[in-house]
């Protein structure tokens, strides 16, 4: 078993720390936020991530994990994982300052011959600045990007498609890969720069894929094709694949928007501008606009004072995260066009946004609404019975931007039903 330190108890750091503890390692997780550390040490997590709180409590009880604010407590760790944020700076590039600040402090306390692992998503070639700042010839730097999805982070940690480790010293890279104790996942051992780029390439390609299917959905509507059948026929080609091709109101979250922009800048700075990246971003903006325009068209081209019931605010299901959520962007645009926007989300209960009213329950959200618009694919929305809600609405109209509802069922109950791309 190894002694592991994790710097940054945000979504990635916390999930990784808890999962490493579950694998039997001794873990110390560190954060600068003392309030958060107390909360975590008491077994409660500040985010919604299915299963994480239970796993945390189990490992606190087993004394496999504990939380600290003092960096010096990491001085006997064999491995220290950097999981601090790399937010977007004003021009869209990733800001490395939190990473380098942490490295500066670690430089003085890391155990001899320990390994520093970069998990934060960092601009390509950041490992060079990390190495310079660290200034420790005895400590190897392994770039080990994460591929955890919010909402399914635990399962992604234990069942990764691959483990990427980049280092000058292959032995250190393999040691880090072995910490995951996973015989099934393929280990991609490479240099640091390639490992850093794999992360950006993955997120950017996934976003590109979604921009493509969202544009395809728009085309399907205009030529009267059914996007669900089109995607089935297209995804069955194994070179394309059936995963991650569901049209929606646009892609969002804390990673895709930030990472696509960052890679775009990296490509431009390195004289290899990837034009598809700006097209991917632009296309996503077009999708948001298309959804808002469609709602306006359905409501006779006039949104003024019309109550619109939005189902979902989180950027996707199984999370309470609203960062860069397409649902919020759409809600704001509807409000700007004069609509009264009322939203219900199973997990998002507060918002610093005066344009959006958050209903306490579904009934309050839909009552007297002119249209229901489903924006986040929460499974509980599939269980809404059109019969029982009919008499609460002003108009029996629903627009399912995620294509998760059964059209026939709603139409049988007298609803005017709109899907996305069908
Ligand atoms: C993403 C990546 O999928 C993870 O591999 C990566 O580790 C993570 O970013 C990160 O960099 O930390 P995440 O942001 O949690 O994970 O969300 P995704 O599940 O990838 O969804 C991103 C967006 O695409 C959401 O708005 C979602 O609703 C949308 N989406 C996803 C679709 O519209 N259709 C789909 O078929 C899939």
């Amino acid at each position: 078993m190894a002694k592991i330190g994790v710097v940054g108890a945000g979504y990635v750091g916390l999930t990784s720390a808890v999962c490493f503890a579950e694998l039997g390692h001794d873990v110390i997780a560190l954060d600068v936020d003392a309030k958060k550390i107390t909360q975590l040490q008491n077994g409660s997590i500040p985010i919604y991530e299915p299963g994480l709180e239970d796993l945390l409590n189990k490992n606190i009880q087993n004394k496999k994990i504990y939380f600290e604010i003092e960096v010096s407590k990491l001085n006997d760790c064999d491995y220290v994982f950097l999981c601090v944020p790399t937010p977007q700076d004003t021009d869209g590039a990733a800001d490395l300052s939190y990473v380098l600040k942490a490295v500066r402090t670690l430089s003085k306390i890391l155990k001899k011959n320990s390994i520093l692992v970069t998990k934060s998503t960092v601009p390509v070639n950041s490992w060079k600045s990390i190495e310079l700042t660290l200034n420790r010839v005895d400590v190897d730097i392994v770039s080990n990007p994460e591929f955890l999805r919010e909402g399914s982070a635990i399962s992604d940690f234990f069942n990764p498609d691959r483990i990427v480790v980049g280092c000058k010293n292959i032995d250190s890279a393999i040691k880090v890969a072995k910490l995951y104790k996973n015989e099934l996942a393929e280990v991609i051992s490479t240099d640091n720069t390639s490992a850093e780029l794999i992360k950006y390439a993955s997120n950017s390609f996934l976003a590109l894929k979604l921009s493509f299917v969202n544009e395809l959905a728009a085309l399907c509507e205009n030529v009267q094709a059914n996007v669900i059948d089109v995607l089935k026929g297209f995804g069955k080609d194994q070179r394309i694949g059936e995963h991650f091709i569901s049209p929606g109101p646009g892609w969002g979250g804390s990673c895709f928007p930030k990472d696509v922009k960052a890679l775009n800048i990296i490509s431009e700075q390195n004289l290899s501008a990837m034009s598809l990246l700006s097209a991917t971003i632009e296309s996503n903006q077009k999708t948001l606009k298309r959804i808002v325009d469609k709602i306006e068209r359905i409501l006779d081209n006039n949104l003024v004072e019309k109550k619109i019931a939005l189902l979902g605010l989180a950027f996707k299901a199984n999370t309470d995260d609203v960062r860069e959520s397409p649902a919020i962007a759409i809600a704001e645009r509807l409000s700007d066009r004069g609509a009264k926007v009322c939203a219900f989300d199973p997990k998002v209960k507060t918002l610093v946004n005066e344009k959006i009213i958050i209903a306490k329950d579904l009934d309050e959200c839909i009552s007297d609404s002119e249209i229901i618009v489903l924006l986040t694919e929460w499974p509980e929305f599939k269980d809404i019975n059109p019969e029982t809600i009919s008499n609460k609405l002003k108009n029996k109209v629903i627009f399912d931007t995620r294509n998760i509802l059964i059209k026939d069922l709603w139409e049988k109950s007298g609803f005017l039903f709109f899907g996305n791309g069908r």
Side-chain angles (χ1 to χ4, degrees):
M1 292 310 141
K3 181 134 194 198
I4 295 179
V6 175
V7 182
Y11 153 75
V12 171
L14 181 60
T15 306
S16 307
V18 171
C19 292
F20 276 131
E22 176 69 9
L23 288 173
H25 301 298
D26 293 302
V27 180
I28 309 179
L30 204 89
D31 202 283
V32 287
D33 182 345
K35 217 168 115 199
K36 190 200 256 181
I37 289 299
T38 312
Q39 184 187 0
L40 290 169
Q41 194 57 54
N42 289 331
S44 130
I45 64 170
I47 48 168
Y48 174 71
E49 180 60 39
L52 191 57
E53 198 161 86
D54 288 347
L55 210 58
L56 168 68
N57 279 288
K58 180 181 162 202
N59 285 286
I60 290 176
Q61 268 161 26
N62 293 345
K63 300 199 175 352
K64 285 295 195 191
I65 187 165
Y66 73 95
F67 296 89
E68 265 297 338
I69 50 166
E70 268 299 317
V71 186
S72 59
K73 294 284 183 329
L74 303 183
N75 64 353
D76 61 344
C77 289
D78 310 306
Y79 302 86
V80 172
F81 282 75
L82 282 175
C83 301
V84 294
T86 48
Q88 242 169 261
D89 65 18
T90 38
D91 62 1
D95 171 2
L96 205 58
S97 60
Y98 295 99
V99 172
L100 294 181
K101 190 167 173 224
V103 174
R104 229 166 270 132
T105 328
L106 287 168
S107 154
K108 298 177 202 105
I109 62 107
L110 283 182
K111 183 170 136 181
K112 195 164 181 350
N113 298 325
S114 57
I115 293 177
L116 182 64
V117 190
T118 314
K119 214 168 229 323
S120 305
T121 302
V122 290
V124 178
N125 277 323
S126 292
W127 67 273
K128 291 179 183 166
S129 320
I130 294 174
E131 190 177 65
L132 263 175
T133 310
L134 185 66
N135 195 21
R136 287 273 303 261
V137 282
D138 61 313
V139 176
D140 280 334
I141 296 164
V142 176
S143 305
N144 171 223
E146 57 88 16
F147 303 103
L148 308 175
R149 284 165 303 171
E150 292 186 27
S152 54
I154 296 178
S155 139
D156 288 348
F157 184 94
F158 291 120
N159 311 290
D161 290 336
R162 74 298 207 191
I163 296 170
V164 175
V165 275
C167 187
K168 282 182 188 166
N169 176 353
I170 188 164
D171 293 340
S172 293
I174 298 302
K175 274 190 195 165
V176 170
K178 285 202 170 136
L179 294 174
Y180 291 86
K181 298 188 180 178
N182 193 317
E183 315 259 288
L184 299 173
E186 185 167 340
V187 173
I188 316 282
S189 169
T190 177
D191 57 274
N192 294 81
T193 309
S194 304
E196 289 171 345
L197 186 53
I198 287 170
K199 169 68 189 208
Y200 281 115
S202 304
N203 273 1
S204 299
F205 188 76
L206 289 168
L208 181 151
K209 213 172 158 182
L210 292 176
S211 281
F212 181 86
V213 293
N214 283 333
E215 289 200 13
L216 195 62
L219 176 65
C220 284
E221 277 181 22
N222 288 348
V223 298
Q224 279 95 46
N226 183 339
V227 79
I228 295 177
D229 294 343
V230 172
L231 290 172
K232 211 183 205 169
F234 141 113
K236 285 282 173 200
D237 183 327
Q238 289 187 18
R239 293 169 302 172
I240 298 172
E242 293 172 277
H243 299 293
F244 223 80
I245 54 169
S246 302
W251 44 265
S254 64
C255 307
F256 283 6
K258 171 172 80 73
D259 293 353
V260 181
K261 271 190 206 138
L263 184 60
N264 197 20
I265 290 176
I266 292 165
S267 69
E268 283 168 0
Q269 283 169 345
N270 289 282
L271 309 178
S272 317
M274 293 170 72
S275 58
L276 286 176
L277 297 176
S278 11
T280 297
I281 298 166
E282 197 184 312
S283 160
N284 201 39
Q285 289 303 318
K286 258 170 63 188
T287 297
L288 297 173
K289 183 173 183 307
R290 175 171 68 84
I291 300 292
V292 176
D293 287 348
K294 183 163 161 177
I295 297 168
E296 192 169 52
R297 262 199 322 277
I298 296 170
L299 296 180
D300 300 326
N301 294 315
N302 180 10
L303 293 175
V304 179
E305 287 302 304
K306 294 196 173 151
K307 178 175 174 183
I308 300 182
L310 299 185
L311 303 187
L313 284 170
F315 82 97
K316 65 173 186 176
N318 293 319
T319 179
D320 57 357
D321 198 342
V322 292
R323 283 175 290 174
E324 300 272 342
S325 172
I328 307 274
I330 287 168
E332 285 179 344
R333 288 171 192 215
L334 290 170
S335 165
D336 291 344
R337 293 189 194 184
K340 288 194 284 183
V341 180
C342 187
F344 169 69
D345 187 288
K347 290 291 168 196
V348 182
K349 297 298 174 198
T350 53
L351 213 56
V352 202
N353 193 321
E354 284 165 9
K355 292 178 179 172
I356 308 165
I357 299 164
I358 299 200
K360 66 174 184 313
D361 54 26
L362 181 69
D363 269 10
E364 186 186 315
C365 173
I366 59 169
S367 80
D368 282 327
S369 61
E370 311 245 1
I371 183 171
I372 300 174
V373 182
L374 188 153
L375 292 171
T376 312
E377 74 286 18
W378 283 100
E380 41 269 71
F381 293 153
K382 288 188 209 164
D383 301 330
I384 298 173
N385 183 341
E387 294 288 344
T388 54
I389 63 163
S390 288
N391 60 357
K392 299 181 177 125
L393 317 170
K394 199 155 180 190
N395 289 327
K396 286 167 53 167
V397 183
I398 185 151
F399 175 16
D400 173 12
T401 69
R402 297 276 186 170
N403 292 334
I404 61 165
L405 302 176
I406 301 169
K407 183 170 184 258
D408 289 353
L409 194 80
W410 287 79
E411 285 183 339
K412 266 194 204 118
S413 303
F415 272 79
L416 194 54
F417 185 97
F418 296 88
N420 186 356
R422 57 179 174 145

